[in-house]
PDB file of all heavy atoms in Angstrom:
ATOM      1  N   ILE A1453     132.377  -3.336  -7.822  1.00  0.00           N
ATOM      2  CA  ILE A1453     131.136  -3.016  -7.112  1.00  0.00           C
ATOM      3  C   ILE A1453     131.399  -3.047  -5.602  1.00  0.00           C
ATOM      4  O   ILE A1453     132.083  -3.929  -5.098  1.00  0.00           O
ATOM      5  CB  ILE A1453     129.979  -3.973  -7.489  1.00  0.00           C
ATOM      6  CG1 ILE A1453     128.633  -3.406  -7.023  1.00  0.00           C
ATOM      7  CG2 ILE A1453     130.208  -5.378  -6.975  1.00  0.00           C
ATOM      8  CD1 ILE A1453     127.421  -4.116  -7.585  1.00  0.00           C
ATOM      9  N   SER A1454     130.868  -2.065  -4.912  1.00  0.00           N
ATOM     10  CA  SER A1454     131.005  -2.037  -3.454  1.00  0.00           C
ATOM     11  C   SER A1454     129.948  -2.948  -2.832  1.00  0.00           C
ATOM     12  O   SER A1454     128.932  -3.276  -3.461  1.00  0.00           O
ATOM     13  CB  SER A1454     130.838  -0.611  -2.923  1.00  0.00           C
ATOM     14  OG  SER A1454     129.497  -0.184  -3.099  1.00  0.00           O
ATOM     15  N   GLN A1455     130.175  -3.315  -1.593  1.00  0.00           N
ATOM     16  CA  GLN A1455     129.211  -4.139  -0.875  1.00  0.00           C
ATOM     17  C   GLN A1455     127.868  -3.426  -0.794  1.00  0.00           C
ATOM     18  O   GLN A1455     126.810  -4.023  -0.999  1.00  0.00           O
ATOM     19  CB  GLN A1455     129.741  -4.448   0.524  1.00  0.00           C
ATOM     20  CG  GLN A1455     128.839  -5.357   1.323  1.00  0.00           C
ATOM     21  CD  GLN A1455     129.462  -5.754   2.654  1.00  0.00           C
ATOM     22  OE1 GLN A1455     130.653  -5.608   2.872  1.00  0.00           O
ATOM     23  NE2 GLN A1455     128.638  -6.251   3.554  1.00  0.00           N
ATOM     24  N   LYS A1456     127.909  -2.121  -0.526  1.00  0.00           N
ATOM     25  CA  LYS A1456     126.679  -1.330  -0.415  1.00  0.00           C
ATOM     26  C   LYS A1456     125.919  -1.301  -1.747  1.00  0.00           C
ATOM     27  O   LYS A1456     124.698  -1.486  -1.780  1.00  0.00           O
ATOM     28  CB  LYS A1456     127.027   0.097   0.018  1.00  0.00           C
ATOM     29  CG  LYS A1456     125.832   1.011   0.123  1.00  0.00           C
ATOM     30  CD  LYS A1456     126.244   2.419   0.505  1.00  0.00           C
ATOM     31  CE  LYS A1456     125.042   3.349   0.511  1.00  0.00           C
ATOM     32  NZ  LYS A1456     125.401   4.744   0.764  1.00  0.00           N
ATOM     33  N   MET A1457     126.636  -1.092  -2.845  1.00  0.00           N
ATOM     34  CA  MET A1457     125.974  -1.021  -4.154  1.00  0.00           C
ATOM     35  C   MET A1457     125.409  -2.374  -4.564  1.00  0.00           C
ATOM     36  O   MET A1457     124.309  -2.455  -5.126  1.00  0.00           O
ATOM     37  CB  MET A1457     126.934  -0.500  -5.220  1.00  0.00           C
ATOM     38  CG  MET A1457     126.288  -0.326  -6.590  1.00  0.00           C
ATOM     39  SD  MET A1457     124.774   0.679  -6.600  1.00  0.00           S
ATOM     40  CE  MET A1457     125.408   2.266  -6.158  1.00  0.00           C
ATOM     41  N   LEU A1458     126.139  -3.443  -4.286  1.00  0.00           N
ATOM     42  CA  LEU A1458     125.621  -4.772  -4.610  1.00  0.00           C
ATOM     43  C   LEU A1458     124.368  -5.062  -3.790  1.00  0.00           C
ATOM     44  O   LEU A1458     123.383  -5.569  -4.325  1.00  0.00           O
ATOM     45  CB  LEU A1458     126.690  -5.845  -4.365  1.00  0.00           C
ATOM     46  CG  LEU A1458     126.271  -7.279  -4.691  1.00  0.00           C
ATOM     47  CD1 LEU A1458     125.736  -7.424  -6.112  1.00  0.00           C
ATOM     48  CD2 LEU A1458     127.432  -8.236  -4.445  1.00  0.00           C
ATOM     49  N   THR A1459     124.393  -4.709  -2.528  1.00  0.00           N
ATOM     50  CA  THR A1459     123.213  -4.902  -1.674  1.00  0.00           C
ATOM     51  C   THR A1459     122.024  -4.123  -2.224  1.00  0.00           C
ATOM     52  O   THR A1459     120.911  -4.660  -2.335  1.00  0.00           O
ATOM     53  CB  THR A1459     123.513  -4.464  -0.224  1.00  0.00           C
ATOM     54  OG1 THR A1459     124.566  -5.282   0.292  1.00  0.00           O
ATOM     55  CG2 THR A1459     122.287  -4.596   0.667  1.00  0.00           C
ATOM     56  N   GLN A1460     122.233  -2.861  -2.587  1.00  0.00           N
ATOM     57  CA  GLN A1460     121.150  -2.036  -3.138  1.00  0.00           C
ATOM     58  C   GLN A1460     120.623  -2.619  -4.447  1.00  0.00           C
ATOM     59  O   GLN A1460     119.411  -2.664  -4.682  1.00  0.00           O
ATOM     60  CB  GLN A1460     121.631  -0.613  -3.372  1.00  0.00           C
ATOM     61  CG  GLN A1460     121.823   0.193  -2.125  1.00  0.00           C
ATOM     62  CD  GLN A1460     122.397   1.582  -2.404  1.00  0.00           C
ATOM     63  OE1 GLN A1460     122.947   1.857  -3.469  1.00  0.00           O
ATOM     64  NE2 GLN A1460     122.280   2.472  -1.422  1.00  0.00           N
ATOM     65  N   THR A1461     121.538  -3.052  -5.300  1.00  0.00           N
ATOM     66  CA  THR A1461     121.143  -3.621  -6.592  1.00  0.00           C
ATOM     67  C   THR A1461     120.327  -4.891  -6.394  1.00  0.00           C
ATOM     68  O   THR A1461     119.262  -5.053  -6.999  1.00  0.00           O
ATOM     69  CB  THR A1461     122.386  -3.907  -7.460  1.00  0.00           C
ATOM     70  OG1 THR A1461     123.109  -2.688  -7.662  1.00  0.00           O
ATOM     71  CG2 THR A1461     122.002  -4.492  -8.810  1.00  0.00           C
ATOM     72  N   LEU A1462     120.803  -5.774  -5.540  1.00  0.00           N
ATOM     73  CA  LEU A1462     120.085  -7.028  -5.290  1.00  0.00           C
ATOM     74  C   LEU A1462     118.710  -6.775  -4.681  1.00  0.00           C
ATOM     75  O   LEU A1462     117.724  -7.395  -5.087  1.00  0.00           O
ATOM     76  CB  LEU A1462     120.914  -7.938  -4.386  1.00  0.00           C
ATOM     77  CG  LEU A1462     122.180  -8.519  -5.025  1.00  0.00           C
ATOM     78  CD1 LEU A1462     123.048  -9.179  -3.964  1.00  0.00           C
ATOM     79  CD2 LEU A1462     121.844  -9.484  -6.146  1.00  0.00           C
ATOM     80  N   ARG A1463     118.627  -5.856  -3.741  1.00  0.00           N
ATOM     81  CA  ARG A1463     117.325  -5.546  -3.125  1.00  0.00           C
ATOM     82  C   ARG A1463     116.349  -4.981  -4.151  1.00  0.00           C
ATOM     83  O   ARG A1463     115.166  -5.342  -4.165  1.00  0.00           O
ATOM     84  CB  ARG A1463     117.503  -4.559  -1.979  1.00  0.00           C
ATOM     85  CG  ARG A1463     118.031  -5.207  -0.728  1.00  0.00           C
ATOM     86  CD  ARG A1463     118.101  -4.230   0.413  1.00  0.00           C
ATOM     87  NE  ARG A1463     118.705  -4.867   1.579  1.00  0.00           N
ATOM     88  CZ  ARG A1463     119.309  -4.222   2.545  1.00  0.00           C
ATOM     89  NH1 ARG A1463     119.386  -2.900   2.535  1.00  0.00           N
ATOM     90  NH2 ARG A1463     119.831  -4.874   3.562  1.00  0.00           N
ATOM     91  N   GLY A1464     116.832  -4.074  -4.986  1.00  0.00           N
ATOM     92  CA  GLY A1464     115.968  -3.497  -6.016  1.00  0.00           C
ATOM     93  C   GLY A1464     115.486  -4.541  -7.005  1.00  0.00           C
ATOM     94  O   GLY A1464     114.304  -4.566  -7.375  1.00  0.00           O
TER      95      GLY A1464
END
Side-chain angles (χ1 to χ4, degrees):
I1453 195 168
S1454 68
Q1455 183 174 344
K1456 178 182 176 185
M1457 183 53 66
L1458 181 54
T1459 298
Q1460 287 176 343
T1461 301
L1462 291 169
R1463 283 184 184 156

